[in-house]
Short mmCIF file of all heavy atoms in Angstrom, two decimals:
data_model
loop_
_atom_site.label_atom_id
_atom_site.label_comp_id
_atom_site.label_asym_id
_atom_site.label_seq_id
_atom_site.Cartn_x
_atom_site.Cartn_y
_atom_site.Cartn_z
N VAL A 1 -5.56 -17.84 -14.50
CA VAL A 1 -5.84 -16.53 -13.95
C VAL A 1 -7.09 -15.94 -14.49
O VAL A 1 -7.23 -15.90 -15.75
CB VAL A 1 -4.65 -15.58 -14.10
CG1 VAL A 1 -4.94 -14.25 -13.47
CG2 VAL A 1 -3.41 -16.27 -13.48
N THR A 2 -8.06 -15.57 -13.66
CA THR A 2 -9.36 -15.00 -14.16
C THR A 2 -9.16 -13.51 -14.46
O THR A 2 -8.26 -12.81 -13.91
CB THR A 2 -10.45 -15.23 -13.09
OG1 THR A 2 -10.04 -14.33 -11.98
CG2 THR A 2 -10.56 -16.64 -12.67
N PRO A 3 -10.04 -13.03 -15.43
CA PRO A 3 -9.99 -11.63 -15.76
C PRO A 3 -10.24 -10.75 -14.51
O PRO A 3 -9.70 -9.62 -14.33
CB PRO A 3 -11.14 -11.47 -16.82
CG PRO A 3 -11.13 -12.82 -17.50
CD PRO A 3 -10.88 -13.79 -16.34
N THR A 4 -11.07 -11.16 -13.68
CA THR A 4 -11.41 -10.47 -12.40
C THR A 4 -10.13 -10.33 -11.55
O THR A 4 -9.94 -9.29 -10.96
CB THR A 4 -12.52 -11.18 -11.53
OG1 THR A 4 -13.76 -11.25 -12.32
CG2 THR A 4 -12.70 -10.52 -10.22
N ALA A 5 -9.36 -11.41 -11.39
CA ALA A 5 -8.14 -11.37 -10.61
C ALA A 5 -7.13 -10.45 -11.17
O ALA A 5 -6.47 -9.60 -10.48
CB ALA A 5 -7.57 -12.71 -10.50
N VAL A 6 -7.12 -10.35 -12.54
CA VAL A 6 -6.18 -9.46 -13.20
C VAL A 6 -6.54 -8.06 -12.93
O VAL A 6 -5.73 -7.18 -12.49
CB VAL A 6 -6.13 -9.77 -14.70
CG1 VAL A 6 -5.33 -8.63 -15.46
CG2 VAL A 6 -5.43 -11.14 -15.02
N ALA A 7 -7.80 -7.74 -13.28
CA ALA A 7 -8.29 -6.32 -13.07
C ALA A 7 -8.19 -5.86 -11.58
O ALA A 7 -7.73 -4.78 -11.32
CB ALA A 7 -9.68 -6.24 -13.59
N GLY A 8 -8.59 -6.66 -10.74
CA GLY A 8 -8.57 -6.39 -9.26
C GLY A 8 -7.23 -6.16 -8.77
O GLY A 8 -6.97 -5.33 -7.89
N SER A 9 -6.24 -6.98 -9.22
CA SER A 9 -4.90 -6.90 -8.80
C SER A 9 -4.31 -5.50 -9.21
O SER A 9 -3.51 -4.86 -8.53
CB SER A 9 -4.00 -8.08 -9.23
OG SER A 9 -4.45 -9.21 -8.68
N ILE A 10 -4.63 -5.08 -10.52
CA ILE A 10 -4.14 -3.82 -10.95
C ILE A 10 -4.65 -2.72 -10.10
O ILE A 10 -4.01 -1.72 -9.57
CB ILE A 10 -4.54 -3.59 -12.34
CG1 ILE A 10 -3.78 -4.58 -13.31
CG2 ILE A 10 -4.25 -2.26 -12.92
CD1 ILE A 10 -4.27 -4.75 -14.70
N VAL A 11 -6.01 -2.71 -9.81
CA VAL A 11 -6.66 -1.74 -8.97
C VAL A 11 -6.00 -1.67 -7.55
O VAL A 11 -5.79 -0.66 -6.93
CB VAL A 11 -8.16 -1.94 -8.87
CG1 VAL A 11 -8.80 -1.00 -7.85
CG2 VAL A 11 -8.79 -1.78 -10.11
N TYR A 12 -5.78 -2.92 -7.00
CA TYR A 12 -5.09 -3.01 -5.73
C TYR A 12 -3.80 -2.30 -5.64
O TYR A 12 -3.46 -1.54 -4.69
CB TYR A 12 -4.90 -4.48 -5.36
CG TYR A 12 -4.15 -4.68 -4.07
CD1 TYR A 12 -4.72 -4.41 -2.79
CD2 TYR A 12 -2.77 -5.04 -4.13
CE1 TYR A 12 -3.91 -4.55 -1.67
CE2 TYR A 12 -2.08 -5.19 -2.98
CZ TYR A 12 -2.66 -4.98 -1.77
OH TYR A 12 -1.87 -5.01 -0.54
N LEU A 13 -2.91 -2.50 -6.57
CA LEU A 13 -1.64 -1.82 -6.56
C LEU A 13 -1.69 -0.31 -6.71
O LEU A 13 -1.00 0.39 -6.00
CB LEU A 13 -0.77 -2.36 -7.73
CG LEU A 13 -0.16 -3.77 -7.59
CD1 LEU A 13 0.54 -4.28 -8.85
CD2 LEU A 13 0.76 -3.83 -6.33
N VAL A 14 -2.69 0.25 -7.43
CA VAL A 14 -2.86 1.63 -7.52
C VAL A 14 -3.37 2.09 -6.10
O VAL A 14 -2.94 3.24 -5.65
CB VAL A 14 -3.76 2.01 -8.58
CG1 VAL A 14 -4.19 3.43 -8.58
CG2 VAL A 14 -3.37 1.59 -9.88
N LEU A 15 -4.23 1.46 -5.50
CA LEU A 15 -4.68 1.79 -4.10
C LEU A 15 -3.55 1.84 -3.13
O LEU A 15 -3.50 2.72 -2.26
CB LEU A 15 -5.81 0.91 -3.69
CG LEU A 15 -7.18 1.07 -4.41
CD1 LEU A 15 -8.08 0.03 -4.02
CD2 LEU A 15 -7.74 2.54 -4.27
N VAL A 16 -2.70 0.91 -3.25
CA VAL A 16 -1.55 0.81 -2.35
C VAL A 16 -0.64 2.04 -2.53
O VAL A 16 -0.13 2.65 -1.52
CB VAL A 16 -0.73 -0.44 -2.67
CG1 VAL A 16 0.70 -0.42 -1.96
CG2 VAL A 16 -1.41 -1.72 -2.01
N SER A 17 -0.52 2.44 -3.80
CA SER A 17 0.33 3.65 -4.04
C SER A 17 -0.25 4.81 -3.33
O SER A 17 0.38 5.77 -2.80
CB SER A 17 0.51 3.87 -5.53
OG SER A 17 -0.63 4.40 -6.11
N GLN A 18 -1.63 4.99 -3.42
CA GLN A 18 -2.34 6.12 -2.68
C GLN A 18 -2.19 6.09 -1.22
O GLN A 18 -2.04 7.15 -0.59
CB GLN A 18 -3.76 6.11 -3.16
CG GLN A 18 -3.96 6.20 -4.64
CD GLN A 18 -3.31 7.43 -5.39
OE1 GLN A 18 -3.76 8.59 -5.20
NE2 GLN A 18 -2.13 7.21 -6.00
N LEU A 19 -2.26 4.92 -0.68
CA LEU A 19 -2.05 4.68 0.82
C LEU A 19 -0.62 5.24 1.21
O LEU A 19 -0.50 6.00 2.08
CB LEU A 19 -2.28 3.30 1.15
CG LEU A 19 -1.80 2.89 2.60
CD1 LEU A 19 -2.73 3.67 3.70
CD2 LEU A 19 -2.00 1.32 2.77
N ALA A 20 0.28 4.72 0.41
CA ALA A 20 1.73 5.19 0.66
C ALA A 20 1.96 6.65 0.51
O ALA A 20 2.62 7.24 1.31
CB ALA A 20 2.62 4.34 -0.15
N LEU A 21 1.29 7.22 -0.53
CA LEU A 21 1.51 8.68 -0.72
C LEU A 21 0.85 9.40 0.38
O LEU A 21 1.46 10.42 0.99
CB LEU A 21 0.78 9.03 -1.97
CG LEU A 21 1.05 10.54 -2.40
CD1 LEU A 21 2.24 10.72 -3.24
CD2 LEU A 21 -0.11 11.16 -3.08
N GLY A 22 -0.33 8.97 0.87
CA GLY A 22 -0.93 9.69 2.04
C GLY A 22 -0.11 9.56 3.32
O GLY A 22 0.00 10.62 4.06
N VAL A 23 0.41 8.48 3.55
CA VAL A 23 1.34 8.28 4.70
C VAL A 23 2.59 9.16 4.65
O VAL A 23 3.00 9.81 5.52
CB VAL A 23 1.68 6.77 4.93
CG1 VAL A 23 2.73 6.64 6.03
CG2 VAL A 23 0.53 5.97 5.22
N ALA A 24 3.09 9.24 3.41
CA ALA A 24 4.29 10.00 3.26
C ALA A 24 4.02 11.52 3.43
O ALA A 24 4.80 12.25 4.00
CB ALA A 24 4.95 9.74 1.81
N ALA A 25 2.85 12.07 2.97
CA ALA A 25 2.43 13.40 3.11
C ALA A 25 2.29 13.67 4.64
O ALA A 25 2.42 14.84 5.04
CB ALA A 25 1.24 13.66 2.39
N LEU A 26 1.81 12.66 5.42
CA LEU A 26 1.55 12.81 6.77
C LEU A 26 2.88 12.92 7.68
O LEU A 26 3.06 13.79 8.46
CB LEU A 26 0.68 11.72 7.29
CG LEU A 26 0.32 11.71 8.87
CD1 LEU A 26 -0.45 12.95 9.12
CD2 LEU A 26 -0.45 10.49 9.14
N VAL A 27 3.80 11.93 7.39
CA VAL A 27 4.94 11.89 8.20
C VAL A 27 6.20 12.44 7.56
O VAL A 27 7.17 12.87 8.28
CB VAL A 27 5.34 10.37 8.44
CG1 VAL A 27 4.23 9.61 9.18
CG2 VAL A 27 5.76 9.62 7.27
N ARG A 28 6.28 12.72 6.19
CA ARG A 28 7.29 13.41 5.47
C ARG A 28 8.58 12.76 5.47
O ARG A 28 9.53 13.30 4.83
CB ARG A 28 7.35 14.81 5.99
CG ARG A 28 6.02 15.57 6.01
CD ARG A 28 6.11 17.00 6.60
NE ARG A 28 4.90 17.51 6.85
CZ ARG A 28 4.65 18.65 7.50
NH1 ARG A 28 5.68 19.24 8.02
NH2 ARG A 28 3.36 19.18 7.68
N ASP A 29 8.85 11.73 6.19
CA ASP A 29 10.15 11.12 6.26
C ASP A 29 10.03 9.85 5.50
O ASP A 29 9.18 8.97 5.70
CB ASP A 29 10.64 10.81 7.70
CG ASP A 29 12.00 10.17 7.71
OD1 ASP A 29 12.99 10.80 7.78
OD2 ASP A 29 11.99 8.91 7.77
N ALA A 30 11.01 9.54 4.48
CA ALA A 30 10.95 8.38 3.65
C ALA A 30 10.95 7.12 4.40
O ALA A 30 10.15 6.22 4.15
CB ALA A 30 11.98 8.43 2.53
N ALA A 31 11.89 6.97 5.37
CA ALA A 31 12.07 5.69 6.03
C ALA A 31 10.88 5.38 6.92
O ALA A 31 10.35 4.28 6.97
CB ALA A 31 13.31 5.70 6.92
N VAL A 32 10.40 6.44 7.55
CA VAL A 32 9.23 6.21 8.40
C VAL A 32 8.00 5.90 7.60
O VAL A 32 7.14 5.09 7.91
CB VAL A 32 8.91 7.55 9.31
CG1 VAL A 32 7.59 7.40 10.04
CG2 VAL A 32 10.06 7.82 10.25
N ALA A 33 7.83 6.63 6.50
CA ALA A 33 6.67 6.38 5.59
C ALA A 33 6.63 4.96 5.05
O ALA A 33 5.65 4.29 5.01
CB ALA A 33 6.55 7.38 4.46
N MET A 34 7.91 4.52 4.61
CA MET A 34 8.00 3.07 4.14
C MET A 34 7.60 2.18 5.21
O MET A 34 6.88 1.18 5.10
CB MET A 34 9.38 2.88 3.70
CG MET A 34 9.80 3.52 2.34
SD MET A 34 9.01 2.61 0.91
CE MET A 34 9.88 1.07 1.00
N GLY A 35 8.22 2.41 6.47
CA GLY A 35 7.95 1.49 7.58
C GLY A 35 6.57 1.36 7.97
O GLY A 35 5.97 0.36 8.15
N VAL A 36 5.86 2.52 8.02
CA VAL A 36 4.41 2.49 8.45
C VAL A 36 3.57 1.88 7.44
O VAL A 36 2.76 0.97 7.77
CB VAL A 36 3.89 4.01 8.67
CG1 VAL A 36 2.47 4.06 8.85
CG2 VAL A 36 4.66 4.57 9.93
N THR A 37 3.76 2.21 6.18
CA THR A 37 3.00 1.55 5.08
C THR A 37 3.17 0.14 4.97
O THR A 37 2.20 -0.66 4.91
CB THR A 37 3.26 2.32 3.71
OG1 THR A 37 3.16 3.73 3.85
CG2 THR A 37 2.22 1.79 2.68
N LEU A 38 4.42 -0.37 4.92
CA LEU A 38 4.65 -1.69 4.85
C LEU A 38 4.21 -2.47 6.10
O LEU A 38 3.64 -3.66 6.05
CB LEU A 38 6.12 -2.01 4.61
CG LEU A 38 6.64 -1.53 3.22
CD1 LEU A 38 8.17 -1.82 3.17
CD2 LEU A 38 5.89 -2.19 2.12
N GLY A 39 4.28 -1.78 7.32
CA GLY A 39 3.81 -2.42 8.48
C GLY A 39 2.31 -2.63 8.40
O GLY A 39 1.68 -3.65 8.90
N ILE A 40 1.54 -1.68 7.79
CA ILE A 40 0.15 -1.83 7.62
C ILE A 40 -0.20 -2.96 6.69
O ILE A 40 -1.08 -3.81 7.08
CB ILE A 40 -0.44 -0.39 7.12
CG1 ILE A 40 -0.45 0.57 8.29
CG2 ILE A 40 -2.00 -0.62 6.70
CD1 ILE A 40 -0.84 2.01 7.77
N LEU A 41 0.51 -2.95 5.62
CA LEU A 41 0.27 -4.02 4.70
C LEU A 41 0.52 -5.35 5.05
O LEU A 41 -0.22 -6.32 4.90
CB LEU A 41 0.98 -3.75 3.29
CG LEU A 41 0.48 -2.41 2.59
CD1 LEU A 41 1.56 -2.12 1.44
CD2 LEU A 41 -0.87 -2.54 2.05
N TYR A 42 1.75 -5.58 5.65
CA TYR A 42 2.18 -6.86 5.99
C TYR A 42 1.95 -7.25 7.40
O TYR A 42 1.93 -8.54 7.79
CB TYR A 42 3.73 -7.09 5.78
CG TYR A 42 4.08 -6.93 4.32
CD1 TYR A 42 4.94 -5.90 3.91
CD2 TYR A 42 3.63 -7.84 3.31
CE1 TYR A 42 5.22 -5.77 2.49
CE2 TYR A 42 4.02 -7.67 2.01
CZ TYR A 42 4.91 -6.66 1.66
OH TYR A 42 5.17 -6.53 0.27
N GLY A 43 1.61 -6.31 8.32
CA GLY A 43 1.52 -6.55 9.72
C GLY A 43 0.19 -7.28 10.11
O GLY A 43 0.17 -8.30 10.85
N PHE A 44 -0.92 -6.81 9.41
CA PHE A 44 -2.15 -7.54 9.75
C PHE A 44 -2.15 -8.93 9.41
O PHE A 44 -2.69 -9.78 10.18
CB PHE A 44 -3.30 -6.83 8.99
CG PHE A 44 -3.76 -5.52 9.67
CD1 PHE A 44 -3.41 -4.25 9.19
CD2 PHE A 44 -4.55 -5.62 10.75
CE1 PHE A 44 -3.81 -3.11 9.76
CE2 PHE A 44 -5.03 -4.36 11.36
CZ PHE A 44 -4.66 -3.19 10.85
N PRO A 45 -1.75 -9.41 8.19
CA PRO A 45 -1.70 -10.90 7.93
C PRO A 45 -0.91 -11.61 8.98
O PRO A 45 -1.19 -12.72 9.34
CB PRO A 45 -1.11 -10.94 6.55
CG PRO A 45 -1.39 -9.62 5.92
CD PRO A 45 -1.27 -8.61 6.99
N LEU A 46 0.24 -11.07 9.36
CA LEU A 46 1.12 -11.81 10.38
C LEU A 46 0.36 -11.88 11.68
O LEU A 46 0.48 -12.99 12.29
CB LEU A 46 2.51 -10.94 10.53
CG LEU A 46 3.41 -10.98 9.36
CD1 LEU A 46 4.60 -10.04 9.70
CD2 LEU A 46 3.94 -12.41 9.13
#
């Protein structure tokens, strides 16, 4: 595992948390916020 991969993966997880927080502030419902955020993250690769 390269140092770049380690540092970048840490930054990525923090950015994911900010995406989820923004979605939650927008929709205010936990289930909807989870569904929308996970749909964005996993939907595009599918």
Side-chain angles (χ1 to χ4, degrees):
V1 180
T2 66
T4 296
V6 170
S9 297
I10 292 171
V11 172
Y12 171 76
L13 284 176
V14 174
L15 291 174
V16 165
S17 76
Q18 301 304 286
L19 168 61
L21 187 89
V23 172
L26 179 63
V27 303
R28 305 176 190 171
D29 180 89
V32 175
M34 286 286 295
V36 170
T37 307
L38 294 178
I40 291 171
L41 293 172
Y42 296 119
F44 280 104
L46 289 175

